[in-house]
């Protein structure tokens, strides 16, 4: 099996460092607060659960106020330039907390901190950042914090080559209703625009028994929704010497006892098999929800992106999913303005969106990422042209979302109550089995399942009433 676990000595070092920080904090009177700031995808959300658990074991109390904190961990995302600039701006603002707590330890972790260019920049221009650590070193957080605390020196834990799967150090088993459960780390696909394989490393699957055990524990702790995570969940298990794939894993978790829903992100169209759809159709606990990013409707652009499928192959799997699971809710990601994309290529993307009718679409303008192949490609399209395409796609999707939502009016669903809705109209937020947002008047208990009738619709949500 290639997914190597942490060595005994590595675990012992991590635990010893946690204890050392704990003893140091205990010797200083008062409460000691830690603030964890998370950017990016659900993978980072899952990593932040680990960070919070580690902070608690070190003796910190978690806070939502960075000004109160003595430890700030910024878990960053590198997927687009905009995401990176936002993080750097916020890290800059956090330096103000240093005035409150001169011993403040700011840790920059995650995908952005795994990029050598960013590490250099943090070194030169952000002197108050005390620890910089790459994604694959997260299990060394306590050691790095202890080193910064005990030596007063800046720590650069940036060798990202450690490809271990961390099972032995617990994550924060908070009692939230939604449990993010990583099934694999890294990515082998090297889509030409994407930084993820460079910052997260190669694919490593967790062992099936570890994933199933974690799902069981989360269900026992009250989770009502298990979301399996990976950059390409369909290639789960390929690196393990066992005859077991993602459909097997999905079926094993969907067969667990208990009252919960099961979802997963992200599927890759080149590996999304009919067997996967058949498994989804066979188990009532699996949400009829499929997020299947297509990125472009043009075969020429898909080839340049190294995606490994054609628009026709993509549509074939969508059609099969609709045939087997008529109520399926489809969502996707798309990139506009890939280098060399022509107006004709864009029209093919537009047509694909019209043809499929996604529930919602995550639309991104191409952002060149240093080190990727696409960043070196000729990119003659003016930014204004890309913006015009982007706006057209957003407008089209707005109409489609409205139509699909209006078509739900009068239908009934079992919805899972999430909690108070923080938007203007207030009330309660709930989710249909296919993960559509439903807004209900009044207050309802999170985790409860209620039968509702849909009475209205907006572009982003359904309006419902309990029956
Ligand atoms: N692994 C998933 C997949 O392949 O579908 C998605 C991972 S990525 C974190 C999320 C989305 O960000 C991608 O689907 C893509 O649409 C977008 N993305 C990634 N790199 C990008 C770039 N350089 N510029 C613009 N969008 C990008
Ligand atoms: Fe990036 Fe492609 Fe991997 Fe998704 S599959 S993380 S887009 S390289
Ligand atoms: Fe961002 Fe890293 Fe996720 S680059 S999108 S946080 S894998």
């Amino acid at each position: 099996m290639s997914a190597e676990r942490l060595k005994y000595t590595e675990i012992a070092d991590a635990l010893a460092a946690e204890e050392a920080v704990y003893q140091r904090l205990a010797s200083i009177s008062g409460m000691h607060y830690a603030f964890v700031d998370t950017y990016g995808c659900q993978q980072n959300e899952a990593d932040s659960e680990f960070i919070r658990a580690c902070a608690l074991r070190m003796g910190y109390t978690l806070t939502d106020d960075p000004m109160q904190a003595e430890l700030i961990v910024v878990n960053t995302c590198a997927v687009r330039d905009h995401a990176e600039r936002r993080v750097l701006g916020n890290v800059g603002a956090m330096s103000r907390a240093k005035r409150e707590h001169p011993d403040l330890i700011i840790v920059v972790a995650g995908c952005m901190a795994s990029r050598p260019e960013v590490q250099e920049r943090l070194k030169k221009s952000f002197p108050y950042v005390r620890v910089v650590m790459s994604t694959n070193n997260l299990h060394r957080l306590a050691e790095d914090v202890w080193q910064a605390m005990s030596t007063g020196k800046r720590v650069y834990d940036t060798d990202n080559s450690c490809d271990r799967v961390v099972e032995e150090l617990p994550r924060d088993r908070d009692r939230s209703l939604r449990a993010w459960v990583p099934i694999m780390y890294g990515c082998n696909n090297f889509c030409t625009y994407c930084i993820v394989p460079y910052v997260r490393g190669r694919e490593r699957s967790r062992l099936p028994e570890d994933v199933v055990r974690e799902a069981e524990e989360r269900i026992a702790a009250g989770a009502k929704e298990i979301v399996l995570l990976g950059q390409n969940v369909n290639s789960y298990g390929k690196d393990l010497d066992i005859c077991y794939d993602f459909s097997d894993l999905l079926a094993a978790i969907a067969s667990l006892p208990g009252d919960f829903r099961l979802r997963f992100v992200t599927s890759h169209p080149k590996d999304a098999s009919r067997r996967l759809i058949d498994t989804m159709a066979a188990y009532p606990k699996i949400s009829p929800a499929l997020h299947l990013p297509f990125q472009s409707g043009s075969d020429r652009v898909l080839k340049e992106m190294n995606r490994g499928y054609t628009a026709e192959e993509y549509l074939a799997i969508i059609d099969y999913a609709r045939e087997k699971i008529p109520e399926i809710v489809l969502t996707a990601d798309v990139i506009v303005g890939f280098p060399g994309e022509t107006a004709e290529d864009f029209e093919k993307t537009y047509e694909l969106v019209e043809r499929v009718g996604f529930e919602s679409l995550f639309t991104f303008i191409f952002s060149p990422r240093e080190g990727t192949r696409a960043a070196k490609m000729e990119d003659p399209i003016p930014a204004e042209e890309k913006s015009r395409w982007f706006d057209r796609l957003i407008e089209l999707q707005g109409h489609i979302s409205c139509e699909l939502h209006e078509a739900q009016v009068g239908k009934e669903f079992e919805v899972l109550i999430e909690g108070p809705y923080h938007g203007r109209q207030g009330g309660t937020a709930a989710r249909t089995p296919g993960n559509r947002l439903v807004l209900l008047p009044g207050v309802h208990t999170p985790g409860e399942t209620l039968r509702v009738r849909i009475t209205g619709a907006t572009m982003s949500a359904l309006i419902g009433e309990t029956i």
Side-chain angles (χ1 to χ4, degrees), residues 39-41 43-44 76-79 111 195-196 199-200 231:
Y39 298 82
C41 64
Q43 191 76 62
N44 264 15
T76 61
C77 171
V79 80
C111 295
I195 195 77
V196 172
V199 293
R200 286 262 174 195
Q231 292 301 343

